[in-house]
Amino acid sequence: MFRSIRLQPLRSFKSYSQRFGSTLAFIEAQGDSISSASLSSLNAAKQIGNPIIAILLGSSAKSAAENLQKIDGLDKILLASNNEFDHNLPEYLSPVLTKLIQDESKDISHFITPATAVGKNILPRIGALLDSQPVSDIIKVQDSTTFVRPIYAGNALTTVKSLDSKVLISARPSAFDPVQASGSNSYPIEELTPEVESSSVEWVSENLVKSERPDLSSAKSVVAGGRGLKSKENFDQLITPLADALGAGIGATRAAVDSGFTDNSLQVGQTGKVVAPDLYVAVGVSGAIQHLAGMKDSKTIVAINKDEEAPIFNVADIGLVGDLFEVVPELTEKVK
Amino acid sequence: MSSKLNILVPVKRVIDFAIKPRINKTNTGIEKTGVKFSINPFCDIAVTKGADSSTLVDVGEEEIEPLSVAKILKQVVEKNQSNLVILGKQAIDDDSNHTGQMLAGLLNWPQATNAAKVEIKNDEVFVTREIDGGEETVKSKLPLIITTDLRLNEPRYATLPNMMKAKKKPLEKLKLSDFDVDVTKRIEVLKVEEPPVRNAGIKVGNVDELVSKLKDLKAI
């Protein structure tokens, strides 16, 4: 009898400290295909441990929802097929998502987006509307409110605990394996008909880099070029064939992008993409801390540079000091 | 433009981008004494033209979270009747990439983040944004929040005469208590630590050795 009395307050404390609720996961889709970054953030969502409600917004939400049925471990799919959501403009998405998170009948305690251009655009706006401070770009889930994220261009890792009642997070895609799409489920689908707020902002056009090669963020290998390539012609003549031979994505340093060697969407680093492929080949890359921030979690790093003092050699597993204009064509021939 | 442009540019002081930050002995943060500080590079891109007047909100040594910064900026925007706010896309210390979007949310203004190009045509602002697969263009009427990407421009160096002139420009000093903002932290920092160190690598002498090492590692 005494025991049960003593246990009572402990039990209630436990149920209080363990937040129950659902995790609302924002899914980015291109037409009907689910983005690989979203599959990674679903993995992070699973680690939080709550039931997962996926949300799809846009005119192809219904066909994308069919693909979500292939993923195990979800509880429910919400969708809204309004075409106002097609370009992921935060002015239209954020108020709708905010209302969902606040909807008591849905019991949402966590909201997660991938840390992509879209996720970074909408999440903080939702944070402002909910009066909650998001935890962005997490690389590890420690428990349902404690996460690890890099700061200072990845030169330090900080473990933080969210004290907000609604926990908002974005997950760094390269830090979580994408969940596999193999099963066949029949999650309940709820169609929403949200009221869309008006805004003076309008989407005008886009200019996407079209390429047959693997997407930089999800490629198993990446070949990246830096200032050492000296020109766009050299970049195209040396980096592209090596990437082709390895079946790799192409990346670049800020110096290479600013000099016009390649498109800025290929920039790897603190302010560009963060990648963690199995193989990263850095060609003519010095290894500034801003660039290392975007690739130092790669499994194997190869550096080719004529300057043996270049900081890239401090993180490279295999370094070759030599003239890239001789080494790269030879390497391309030998890995074909 | 129906009304004239009144631009607010928030800037942040951060540890200089070229310095490798050191973690303090208690593993609670980054060592900041005796370290070189500069304007956050993204903020530099946002300012680029000489500012007419400045406001400093003195919050002491305390690190203020983006949500609180956005709430303070909202009150500054309302007081100054700004109709365009240009911020950097992220601070290179906390790497949050939050404040501009939050300010837009609090003001219920449109936002154009990661701007690579800004053009004003008649009463509309066209902003080309850097996105994952390339770029996109959005247009909006004022008021508007813009956050700058690296490629928006090349920041100018302040010349000595301009620095002397800047000393005469008004600098309004305000305190946190001048604002009705609760800056209680929403995120508790439990620990700051070094990232895992990579094992020392090897140097190879030629391409053949490189290829055979890659094969040993099953990397190709």
Side-chain angles (χ1 to χ4, degrees):
Chain A
M1 190 188 159
F2 281 112
R3 234 180 113 166
S4 70
I5 291 168
R6 262 177 47 207
L7 277 177
Q8 211 83 40
L10 277 177
R11 228 184 255 150
S12 65
F13 174 73
K14 197 178 172 206
S15 65
Y16 171 76
S17 69
Q18 269 190 358
R19 247 179 255 250
F20 290 105
S22 297
T23 299
L24 183 69
F26 174 77
I27 308 293
E28 252 181 87
Q30 285 263 319
D32 61 356
S33 77
I34 311 296
S35 81
S36 143
S38 294
L39 298 176
S40 296
S41 68
L42 280 173
N43 186 355
K46 283 186 177 185
Q47 294 177 25
I48 292 168
N50 295 332
I52 299 170
I53 304 174
I55 171 93
L56 279 161
L57 299 168
S59 52
S60 45
K62 268 187 202 164
S63 45
E66 284 172 30
N67 282 322
L68 269 185
Q69 297 282 6
K70 294 177 190 151
I71 289 154
D72 292 327
L74 306 184
D75 268 65
K76 194 179 192 177
I77 299 170
L78 305 181
L79 62 87
S81 306
N82 310 38
N83 55 14
E84 289 100 327
F85 301 139
D86 278 358
H87 300 291
N88 291 314
L89 292 179
E91 296 78 359
Y92 304 107
L93 293 185
S94 301
V96 170
L97 290 165
T98 301
K99 282 194 189 112
L100 263 179
I101 298 166
Q102 285 170 324
D103 182 347
E104 278 178 26
S105 70
K106 301 238 166 2
D107 190 26
I108 289 162
S109 57
H110 289 67
F111 175 66
I112 185 166
T113 69
T116 53
V118 171
K120 288 173 183 173
N121 208 10
I122 60 172
L123 185 69
R125 192 169 175 114
I126 293 172
L129 298 175
L130 283 172
D131 196 31
S132 172
Q133 172 62 56
V135 182
S136 56
D137 221 9
I138 64 159
I139 58 168
K140 202 170 152 194
V141 176
Q142 216 144 66
D143 63 41
S144 65
T145 55
T146 314
F147 312 98
V148 179
R149 64 179 297 267
I151 52 173
Y152 288 88
N155 280 293
L157 300 181
T158 174
T159 306
V160 295
K161 186 177 178 60
S162 168
L163 308 173
D164 277 314
S165 60
K166 303 285 186 189
V167 180
L168 310 179
I169 43 184
S170 65
R172 175 175 285 199
S174 66
F176 298 91
D177 290 330
V179 292
Q180 295 302 317
S182 53
S184 164
N185 305 285
S186 48
Y187 302 120
I189 292 182
E190 188 184 328
E191 273 202 66
L192 309 171
T193 47
E195 221 174 277
V196 182
E197 285 190 19
S198 64
S199 169
S200 75
V201 74
E202 258 179 75
W203 185 86
V204 180
S205 64
E206 68 187 0
N207 181 11
L208 298 181
V209 180
K210 293 201 175 59
S211 139
E212 298 293 308
R213 73 181 57 258
D215 175 54
L216 175 61
S217 315
S218 52
K220 288 270 171 227
S221 333
V222 170
V223 178
R227 198 200 303 267
L229 284 150
K230 296 200 173 90
S231 72
K232 178 173 171 37
E233 291 67 38
N234 293 335
F235 194 97
D236 294 342
Q237 279 163 24
L238 293 171
I239 299 297
T240 309
L242 179 57
D244 287 341
L246 291 166
I250 291 183
T253 64
R254 183 184 169 197
V257 171
D258 284 353
S259 310
F261 299 176
T262 189
D263 189 80
N264 58 34
S265 61
L266 302 185
Q267 185 179 325
V268 172
Q270 183 183 21
T271 63
K273 293 261 168 50
V274 179
V275 300
D278 290 344
L279 175 64
Y280 191 89
V281 184
V283 177
V285 171
S286 64
I289 56 175
Q290 292 80 10
H291 184 72
L292 301 184
M295 45 66 79
K296 67 185 163 71
D297 294 323
S298 306
K299 208 163 145 206
T300 301
I301 298 173
V302 173
I304 300 169
N305 202 306
K306 67 177 179 194
D307 174 13
E308 61 180 313
E309 301 293 318
I312 190 75
F313 288 119
N314 298 333
V315 300
D317 300 284
I318 312 174
L320 177 53
V321 179
D323 184 353
L324 65 93
F325 294 98
E326 290 162 19
V327 171
V328 173
E330 188 185 345
L331 179 62
T332 304
E333 270 314 302
K334 287 178 175 160
V335 295
K336 255 184 194 168
Chain B
M1 291 287 135
S2 50
S3 56
K4 74 177 208 242
L5 269 178
N6 188 348
I7 308 176
L8 179 75
V9 184
V11 286
K12 185 175 183 183
R13 177 176 171 269
V14 298
I15 292 183
D16 190 84
F17 75 94
I19 289 173
K20 189 173 158 52
R22 278 176 301 121
I23 291 159
N24 64 16
K25 288 196 181 72
T26 49
N27 277 71
T28 50
I30 301 294
E31 196 56 67
K32 288 181 181 158
T33 37
V35 176
K36 184 185 174 197
F37 277 80
S38 303
I39 288 190
N40 182 44
F42 289 97
C43 303
D44 226 355
I45 292 168
V47 179
T48 209
K49 281 184 177 157
D52 296 316
S53 67
S54 316
T55 303
L56 173 70
V57 183
D58 190 352
V59 295
E61 286 302 301
E62 204 47 28
E63 188 76 35
I64 304 278
E65 289 174 357
L67 182 59
S68 305
V69 173
K71 287 177 181 172
I72 293 170
L73 290 176
K74 178 179 185 244
Q75 294 183 11
V76 176
V77 164
E78 284 165 350
K79 187 170 157 241
N80 292 355
Q81 297 185 313
S82 315
N83 54 6
L84 178 63
V85 185
I86 309 179
L87 308 88
K89 77 164 178 181
Q90 78 191 55
I92 60 162
D93 51 1
D94 68 17
D95 282 335
S96 290
N97 192 335
H98 283 167
T99 308
Q101 295 90 311
M102 289 184 143
L103 180 59
L106 293 175
L107 289 163
N108 196 22
W109 289 8
Q111 67 189 54
T113 56
N114 302 2
K117 198 171 149 196
V118 177
E119 273 182 294
I120 298 182
K121 289 182 201 161
N122 302 321
D123 65 339
E124 285 178 321
V125 187
F126 286 72
V127 180
T128 301
R129 309 181 49 236
E130 296 199 4
I131 56 171
D132 284 338
E135 54 185 39
E136 72 175 9
T137 303
V138 295
K139 64 172 181 179
S140 174
K141 291 192 169 63
L142 292 180
L144 175 67
I145 305 285
I146 293 175
T147 75
T148 61
D149 218 314
L150 287 167
R151 271 163 286 274
L152 183 62
N153 58 47
E154 195 68 47
R156 298 181 307 182
Y157 281 98
T159 57
L160 189 60
N162 279 339
M163 281 196 229
M164 299 311 286
K165 266 189 244 162
K167 287 188 177 175
K168 295 194 183 107
K169 287 184 182 175
L171 170 66
E172 182 187 19
K173 284 188 183 164
L174 298 173
K175 289 203 172 55
L176 196 52
S177 54
D178 295 324
F179 297 87
D180 178 23
V181 173
D182 175 8
V183 296
T184 310
K185 284 208 181 352
R186 311 297 188 83
I187 292 179
E188 187 187 350
V189 175
L190 302 178
K191 194 166 56 180
V192 178
E193 58 195 332
E194 297 277 351
V197 181
R198 290 188 75 96
N199 293 327
I202 51 151
K203 288 229 172 92
V204 292
N206 55 49
V207 172
D208 288 326
E209 281 179 45
L210 171 57
V211 172
S212 89
K213 281 285 169 209
L214 285 174
K215 282 184 178 153
D216 290 350
L217 290 167
K218 296 194 165 55
I220 54 171

